[in-house]
Structure formats: C-alpha cells, structure tokens
Amino acid sequence: VEINGIQDDPDIKVLMAGSTLRKVKSRSWKKQRHFRLLEDGLTIWYKSRWAGKGHSTFSVTELEMVREGHQSEVLLSIAEEFPAALCFTLVFHGRQGNLDLVAESPEEAQAWIQGVRKLIHRHSLRWVWDWFQKADKNKDGKMNFKEVRKLLKMMNIEMNEEHAFHLFTMADKSGTGSLEIEQFVHFYKILTQRDEVWKVFQDYSGDGEKLMLEELDNFLRIEQQTGERSAQHAQELIERYEPSETAKKQGAMTLDGFQMYLCSQDGSIFKPEHQGLYQDMSQPLSHYFISSSHNTYLLEDQLRGHSSLEAYIKALKRGCRCVEVDSWDGNDGEPVVYHGHTLTSKILFRDIMSTLKEYAFKVLVLRVLSPFIALQASDFPVILSLENHCGVEQQTVMAQHLRQILGDTLLTTLVDGQVPLQLPSPQELRGKILLKAKKIGAMGDRNCPMASFALFSPLLQKSKSKLSRELSDLVVYCKSVHFHGFEHSRLHAKCYEMSSFSESKAKKLAKESGRDFVQYNTRQLSRIYPSGFRTDSSNYNPQDMWSVGCQIVALNFQTAGLEMDLNDGLFRQNNCCGYVLKPEFMTDGNAQFSPEKPDERQGYRPLRLSIQVISGQQLPKVNQKEGSIVDPLVRVEIYGVPQDQAKDETSHINNNGFNPVWNETLNFVITTPELALVRFVVEDYDKASRNDFIGQFTLPFKCIQAGYRHIHLLSRDGTAIPPSSLFVNISISELS
C-alpha cells in the first residue's frame, strides 16, 4: 500500500520529517529516540541519536490502535513529570508489548496520534493485498473471475456466484475481465460491506450519509446505554475513530468511522472500566478468588510429561498467583521437583526458585482479552504451594534456597508483628512470595516453652521430626492443616490455617453444606486440586468451587479447554492481576448465602440476559484443506450457581465463515449475576460427528456492556485471533 494520496496530509508530513520522542519503559527508563515514517508509508523506523548504525523498525500493520494521554501503567507512573497532552501509546496486535512515547510538544503528539491512526485505517486492508499476492501465481498483478473465486475460497468466503460476478464486473472498471490489485481491494470492500452495521447506522442517521453529533449521542444513550456522559462520549468517539477530516470538522461520524468504533475496544463487549484495577485490594486475602495452578511444573500429562521451568513462566504470564511445587529427595543432596512415582522428567528445586524470583512480579501478564489490552505485570502476592516429600535434611536445603534465592521477596515475618485475627490483604503483601506448607506449632509461638517442648519431647519428636525447623519457620500465613469439619473450624481454627481438598471432597461438601463452606471461606483459605485419576492433566469445572467461595481453585494451566476458558474469563477483569474480590455476600461473616438456594439471600435480584446474535466476521478455517468452508453456529453458555447453569445455540449457516448472519435471539435468567460467567463459543457444525471448535470468548456477567457489541474471539489456547469476531446486541433487564 503506497503513500500516494496521503503524503500531503499535514500529520503524515510530520511523521515523514521525523521527530525526537521519549521512549518510556519505566519511571527510571526514559530515553530519547528519533522516529520517522519511511517512504513506503508502512514502516516506522527509530534509533537512538547516539547509537552507531543500530536501529529498529515496525510496520503500521502490526498496530491495533493509538491511545492518547496517560492510558498505560507506565505513562500513569510518570504523569506528574509529563502532562497527558504529550503522551501516547502505540498498541500492537496480539502478544507484542506496547510502545509508550512522550512528544516534545502537544502539537507534535497530536500529529503522531492522528497520523498513525490514519495509517492504521489506510492499511487495515493490507492483509487483503497479502492474499492477492499469494493467489497471483503468475505474478502479473491481475486476476480473472475464476482465480478470484478460488481466492475467496482460500479466504473462507463462499458466496452466490451470480452476486460475486456482478460485484466483480462493477470493480472491473477497465472491462478487461480481470482485476488489478487496487480493483481487487475495491471489490473486497463492496463484498465485505456489512449490511447489518449499515442498518443500525441508518436507524440513527438523518441523511443516511453520516451521524451528526446529536444523532450519535442518541445512539449511545438509547442502544449503548452510556447514560449521562453520552454527548461528551460521542465527541470523543468521533475524534478517536472518524478517518475523514471533513466529517470530523462537522462533528460527524461516517459509516467507516461507525464501523471502526463498533470493532474497537470502546465497542467491545467488555466494560472498559473493569479492565483496569478497579476493585478494593485492602480486604483480607480470604475475600479474593486467586488464579491458581496445579502441577505447575508440567507441560503435558502426569505420567510421562515434561517437567519444565518454562511451565512456571507460562503460568505466571497467564496471571497465575498460586503455583505448586512437588519436591522429592534428589540423589546428590539437592531436592528435585517432578510428579512422584512416574516417568515425568525432574527439575531442580533451586532452579524453580530462581525462575520465581525473576518472573513472579516482573512478568508481563499475558492478556488473553483480544488484541486491545496492554501487557502489564502484577505485583500482588504469589503463593508457593509446597507438596513436600523430602526428608528433613533436604527440607533444610530447600529452606536455604528459599531464603538465599528469593531474599526479601519471601515473606518470613508477620506484616505488623501481631498474630492476626484475619489475613492481611493483597495490598499489604504486594511483591511478596508466601510459602504454603506444614508448620511446627502455632504462629508466633516460636520461642514459647510449648514449641521447644514439641521439638525435644521424645513422645512428640516422632511426628514432628518429619519437619525441618528451618523450613517450618518460613511458613507465615499459609499453614497447611488437616480439615476436621466446619464446626471444628468455626470453634478452633486460626485464619492462617488452610486445608486442601480434592475436587470430589470439595464437591461433596459444596452439595451437602454449601452455606457452611461459604462461611468457612470468609475466614480461611481453601485450596482445591484435581482428582489423582486425571493422569491426562484434564480439569474439573472451577465454577462449582467458586460458587462456595473457595479461593485457590487449582487447575492444570497446560490443558486448554472449557475449564481454562472459565479461569481466564473470571480473571480477565481487575487488570488481570490474578485476584478478584468475591461478592459481598461471600465475604460478610454473617451472610447466609447458599449456592443451592440463591433466592434466600438478602438483596436477591435476578436479571434477564437477552443476546441477539447478529453476525460473525472472518472466522478462522478449521480444516486447512483448500476446499473446506465452515458451517458456523454460536452457542452461549452460562456458568454460575447450579440454578443458573444453562446453554442455548443458534442454527448453523451453511458454507460461510466470512460473514455469516444469524439474527437469532437467545434468552437467559440469571439469579446470581455476581457469580455468573458467560461463554460465547463458535463451532463448525457437523451432522455426522462432533462439531469442531472455531473460537470462544468468556467473561464475567458483571463485565458485560449492553448494546451493539463485538466479541473478539480467542483460540483454543486463549490467545487473540484477529480479525475474527461476533457482532451481537445485548440487553440486560430486571425480571418484571
């Protein structure tokens, strides 16, 4: 895509002349770099003014959007030093980190913000060019109708041949029976014109050409339910998404701008205000759901799988805040970690500690929330769940490694020196690693006579000698104890004592004593782990455990599927920091909530969720065979308290993965909205065998924005697959 026709734009002129911008990585790392747009109109080049020949480049096609002002953690941290008018962020597609930049003047910042936005819009069809070049086998830059039909199939587009030929003839301005690349782009644009978006646009546009400010304001208030701020919001959206300068000057939005807005983060199903850190982080640890991993060291199954440090890095990248270590005596005095009594490979305990030290708080949390979101690190505490099979000697070696390698990131003392009546908060424990393991005696009684008696009395030594004093001393707030029942716990348990439950034991307790389990979990932490029979590292449904308030619901992060989709979905909110505050009826010690009887709780208010599934856009091919086209259907699944579990689906559309239109409405009643997760799944219908998975997106019900929204689909392993999306209209209302 050449620069012709845009190089006279004043903003593009600034980009081509080049500017010195500060690249910011942290509060202390702010370095000047010279940036400029190269002559191809596609490549942004930058280098240090002092470095010799070294330079970096990236393509405009890699960019998703430009954010203005202090819209990233890094830029927020330097807000006092540099005003918002100088700052902007270049957001990349997928997993690539963002670029935070500071200009020397507000005018220069605006030129870069607007200029790059224009280029993103101009090059949004770049991938169409790439397809064209792939299909142009003889490289003559032309394609006849037969070749175009073949290309459409490759792009997962199946369409009425007569209609396609009609559009082909319209695009063939020269009447040669073949399209050159520019004509093909024109053909593609008329082919992909989205009637369903155009219809919504027409409903609010007086002249059918543009939405004036007041018309856009009406749309936002009535359809998008933006409330009082809609007028100001309408102005912001025009500034942000309208590609036409003329329309901008009129305070209007064209169909192009409207479509860009609907496909953007602002038009996404996920509430923008729930993406950042919006929850109170100063409550006791027991009041939060904590993203937790089981057998963290495994990359595969539990019998022959590969143990790997990479598995810890991957889990932490995914926002995990509780990792598991199975330690066994090593041959040379060094403890090793693996799945005991199996053929899984072994890794050194000390190497895992080094990995944790490096990645626990510095790792960029992998935002599996579509391509929009920045990558940021979580500094809320990491719990190290130790499954200890070592003898006393190597336990002492573990204690030495924990102290020496983790240093002051390991929590070894009480936060304020006092034995607590409730657990400290994630806020108070920021940047700390907590050891969960067995402990000799009670907290704070290290020097009391009973503790030393326990160590030296021959009667007690037998049971206590299995524990190393050095390792025991490192356990502060997560002392592993055997569970003796809810009544016993209510009368005798300390807040820092926690028990682990197998999935079957926890499920039984949840069914028989749901209310007691919720109460128990207001004060103490519970860890749930998959059944020992799951040798294939499969997972159980975590929702059953969250519904009774269990905090540490450990899953095999290495195994893709519904259960990890739910985990990603729950922890997608609150800055993906790995901690989500439980609803108030699960943290109040006097609350009487039972997931089996949701209507008995105070403040019970069920809601109706109505989802009109309108259309799909550019769904990925499932079968890579050249001739195969998907027959997509959409299923909406609700996960929550037992009464809320539900699913419903649309019919399937034959042979159209490119722009299927369903226009079908699915309705649900949700009794406990605070605990519900909504999962959108797209499948390729197959009447003879099981449907194939195409993509999904899962989010908490409380994070859903009403109105016309796009759902940006994720792959099986939870990563973004742009430009695949669903277009829906969502309404949420009280049951009348």
Side-chain angles (χ1 to χ4, degrees):
V1 180
E2 77 296 335
I3 196 83
N4 292 349
I6 201 173
Q7 74 268 50
D8 296 331
D9 182 291
D11 295 326
I12 301 297
K13 280 182 174 168
V14 172
L15 271 59
M16 295 191 81
S19 305
T20 298
L21 306 170
R22 269 176 226 266
K23 181 180 172 186
V24 186
K25 283 190 182 175
S26 67
R27 285 178 80 152
S28 54
W29 199 103
K30 302 179 281 274
K31 299 197 175 166
Q32 291 193 312
R33 296 284 182 265
H34 190 69
F35 283 78
R36 72 183 171 91
L37 174 67
L38 298 186
E39 289 64 28
D40 64 357
L42 199 64
T43 310
I44 293 176
W45 173 100
Y46 66 99
K47 68 173 281 190
S48 156
R49 292 191 300 179
W50 303 278
K53 292 178 183 167
H55 69 270
S56 299
T57 61
F58 58 87
S59 168
V60 171
T61 58
E62 295 169 46
L63 293 173
E64 173 67 36
M65 69 189 300
V66 187
R67 289 211 198 113
E68 246 174 289
H70 300 136
Q71 287 207 56
S72 77
E73 196 172 42
V74 171
L75 290 177
L76 274 170
S77 73
I78 57 159
E80 287 171 22
E81 196 178 343
F82 298 107
L86 302 179
C87 300
F88 61 99
T89 303
L90 300 183
V91 180
F92 288 83
H93 284 294
R95 296 176 171 188
Q96 195 175 334
N98 296 337
L99 207 47
D100 289 307
L101 300 168
V102 181
E104 288 177 348
S105 71
E107 295 71 31
E108 193 170 42
Q110 272 307 309
W112 275 88
I113 290 163
Q114 300 307 334
V116 173
R117 279 181 182 161
K118 286 167 194 166
L119 291 170
I120 290 173
H121 177 64
R122 191 176 176 83
H123 297 300
S124 60
L125 291 169
R126 176 76 202 192
W127 68 285
V128 183
W129 292 62
D130 294 341
W131 273 112
F132 185 95
Q133 280 157 341
K134 212 186 285 183
D136 183 13
K137 298 281 191 265
N138 63 356
K139 303 292 170 225
D140 66 349
K142 291 181 182 160
M143 214 161 281
N144 63 30
F145 182 63
K146 192 178 170 187
E147 291 170 319
V148 163
R149 233 175 49 212
K150 203 170 173 186
L151 172 54
L152 291 179
K153 228 177 181 106
M154 284 163 64
M155 293 166 85
N156 209 9
I157 309 170
E158 180 81 52
M159 61 182 316
N160 177 299
E161 200 159 314
E162 213 173 297
H163 178 59
F165 187 67
H166 172 64
L167 297 182
F168 180 88
T169 316
M170 278 169 62
D172 179 16
K173 295 275 195 294
S174 54
T176 58
S178 63
L179 302 183
E180 292 183 7
I181 194 155
E182 287 83 359
Q183 294 169 327
F184 179 74
V185 171
H186 174 64
F187 166 73
Y188 173 82
K189 278 200 87 163
I190 50 178
L191 175 67
T192 57
Q193 194 173 350
R194 292 192 40 202
D195 287 345
E196 73 277 24
V197 172
W198 183 79
K199 277 180 191 141
V200 177
F201 183 81
Q202 290 298 309
D203 284 346
Y204 286 88
S205 166
D207 64 359
E209 294 294 316
K210 57 194 173 304
L211 290 171
M212 298 310 290
L213 191 62
E214 195 182 331
E215 294 168 339
L216 180 57
D217 177 15
N218 282 340
F219 169 76
L220 293 173
R221 257 182 318 102
I222 296 164
E223 303 292 353
Q224 308 299 74
Q225 298 176 28
T226 49
E228 294 307 307
R229 62 190 184 97
S230 54
Q232 182 199 342
H233 189 43
Q235 188 59 57
E236 285 166 8
L237 294 179
I238 290 170
E239 285 301 315
R240 207 171 295 161
Y241 299 109
E242 179 49 56
S244 153
E245 286 303 319
T246 323
K248 244 188 213 175
K249 286 195 181 84
Q250 295 177 307
M253 186 179 259
T254 62
L255 179 60
D256 266 357
F258 186 63
Q259 194 156 313
M260 281 175 78
Y261 148 63
L262 284 176
C263 293
S264 74
Q265 183 179 353
D266 289 294
S268 149
I269 189 173
F270 203 101
K271 280 183 184 168
E273 63 269 29
H274 283 191
Q275 283 171 1
L277 195 68
Y278 74 100
Q279 293 184 330
D280 173 10
M281 301 307 286
S282 62
Q283 298 192 28
L285 219 49
S286 55
H287 289 190
Y288 298 84
F289 295 122
I290 304 170
S291 181
S292 306
S293 156
H294 174 62
N295 286 349
T296 315
Y297 45 86
L298 289 181
L299 277 172
E300 298 160 53
D301 69 53
Q302 298 175 16
L303 296 180
R304 297 172 302 279
H306 186 55
S307 303
S308 161
L309 297 172
E310 185 58 35
Y312 284 90
I313 300 169
K314 279 188 169 175
L316 292 166
K317 268 188 179 178
R318 210 158 173 168
C320 178
R321 296 284 91 187
C322 177
V323 297
E324 187 187 17
V325 173
D326 274 19
S327 62
W328 299 80
D329 283 338
N331 295 334
D332 53 359
E334 278 294 338
V336 290
V337 172
Y338 75 109
H339 203 60
H341 313 299
T342 64
L343 300 174
T344 57
S345 58
K346 299 179 172 70
I347 33 182
L348 290 174
F349 178 84
R350 65 166 185 235
D351 289 346
I352 294 175
M353 293 312 105
S354 301
T355 302
L356 274 185
K357 171 75 174 166
E358 190 174 346
Y359 289 98
F361 306 110
K362 294 187 196 127
V363 77
L364 294 171
V365 173
L366 175 56
R367 302 281 203 142
V368 281
L369 174 68
S370 89
F372 297 128
I373 299 305
L375 300 170
Q376 292 170 355
S378 171
D379 60 356
F380 289 112
V382 169
I383 297 169
L384 174 55
S385 179
L386 182 63
E387 191 73 32
N388 175 12
H389 303 279
C390 291
V392 177
E393 273 177 38
Q394 291 198 21
Q395 285 181 39
T396 305
V397 174
M398 279 199 288
Q400 287 162 359
H401 289 328
L402 282 160
R403 277 189 188 277
Q404 286 163 10
I405 297 169
L406 298 180
D408 59 5
T409 58
L410 180 70
L411 187 84
T412 55
T413 55
L414 293 161
V415 168
D416 54 7
Q418 300 297 310
V419 175
L421 294 174
Q422 60 177 29
L423 288 165
S425 69
Q427 186 71 41
E428 291 172 292
L429 296 168
R430 280 185 110 125
K432 292 294 183 190
I433 293 175
L434 280 63
L435 181 64
K436 173 201 161 289
K438 292 197 172 95
K439 184 175 178 70
I440 302 167
M443 185 194 283
D445 68 357
R446 186 178 171 185
N447 301 316
C448 84
M450 277 310 288
S452 28
F453 174 72
L455 274 179
F456 299 110
S457 154
L459 294 171
L460 293 172
Q461 199 172 8
K462 202 164 187 169
S463 60
K464 298 295 177 193
S465 65
K466 291 181 183 169
L467 278 186
S468 143
R469 165 57 81 181
E470 286 87 342
L471 189 62
S472 165
D473 285 348
L474 300 181
V475 177
V476 185
Y477 291 112
C478 299
K479 175 186 176 181
S480 295
V481 297
H482 183 71
F483 177 70
H484 291 289
F486 294 125
E487 187 59 18
H488 180 275
S489 162
R490 203 168 54 76
L491 297 171
H492 306 291
K494 312 282 190 292
C495 67
Y496 55 82
E497 293 177 334
M498 60 176 290
S499 300
S500 289
F501 304 85
S502 72
E503 60 173 282
S504 48
K505 170 85 171 160
K507 237 180 168 160
K508 190 168 183 288
L509 288 171
K511 199 147 188 63
E512 291 169 3
S513 324
R515 191 170 273 126
D516 293 333
F517 215 162
V518 172
Q519 280 289 306
Y520 171 85
N521 284 322
T522 61
R523 306 179 302 271
Q524 288 172 266
L525 293 174
S526 294
R527 179 175 179 272
I528 317 298
Y529 58 90
S531 147
F533 295 114
R534 293 183 182 273
T535 52
D536 57 351
S537 290
S538 60
N539 283 312
Y540 55 93
N541 187 326
Q543 185 66 54
D544 301 335
M545 308 300 133
W546 293 326
S547 289
V548 284
C550 298
Q551 304 85 352
I552 302 176
V553 179
L555 296 177
N556 290 297
F557 268 49
Q558 70 274 26
T559 307
L562 162 69
E563 298 80 14
M564 273 310 293
D565 293 346
L566 295 177
N567 198 75
D568 288 341
L570 176 67
F571 293 103
R572 187 161 275 132
Q573 60 186 317
N574 209 29
N575 208 28
C576 291
C577 73
Y579 284 80
V580 165
L581 185 62
K582 295 197 272 188
E584 216 170 298
F585 56 80
M586 294 188 119
T587 58
D588 174 1
N590 302 314
Q592 293 293 308
F593 172 70
S594 163
E596 297 286 337
K597 296 173 183 168
D599 53 331
E600 290 180 6
R601 81 170 162 98
Q602 217 177 345
Y604 171 70
R605 220 181 80 209
L607 295 174
R608 184 183 301 285
L609 169 65
S610 182
I611 299 167
Q612 182 193 8
V613 181
I614 303 171
S615 61
Q617 293 73 46
Q618 299 166 59
L619 305 175
K621 286 172 89 88
V622 172
N623 189 328
Q624 288 310 313
K625 285 209 302 281
E626 210 168 287
S628 81
I629 305 276
V630 297
D631 304 326
L633 63 85
V634 177
R635 188 167 56 255
V636 177
E637 303 171 346
I638 312 290
Y639 295 88
V641 297
Q643 211 173 311
D644 289 347
Q645 311 278 2
K647 53 181 72 170
D648 197 3
E649 62 187 43
T650 66
S651 51
H652 65 275
I653 305 276
N654 284 326
N655 286 338
N656 189 346
F658 185 74
N659 56 358
V661 174
W662 291 276
N663 268 329
E664 293 180 38
T665 301
L666 310 176
N667 289 303
F668 302 93
V669 171
I670 297 180
T671 66
T672 314
E674 298 85 345
L675 288 175
L677 290 168
V678 183
R679 182 174 185 247
F680 294 85
V681 197
V682 186
E683 288 182 348
D684 180 11
Y685 173 77
D686 192 325
K687 67 170 182 282
S689 61
R690 215 169 136 189
N691 294 350
D692 285 319
F693 172 90
I694 292 177
Q696 66 84 30
F697 187 74
T698 308
L699 77 166
F701 174 80
K702 299 292 279 183
C703 296
I704 290 178
Q705 294 202 85
Y708 285 98
R709 302 291 170 192
H710 275 91
I711 297 167
H712 297 271
L713 295 173
L714 305 175
S715 67
R716 190 176 286 287
D717 70 350
T719 54
I721 39 176
S724 299
S725 62
L726 293 176
F727 185 45
V728 297
N729 186 8
I730 288 177
S731 91
I732 296 167
S733 56
E734 293 201 9
L735 278 186
S736 48

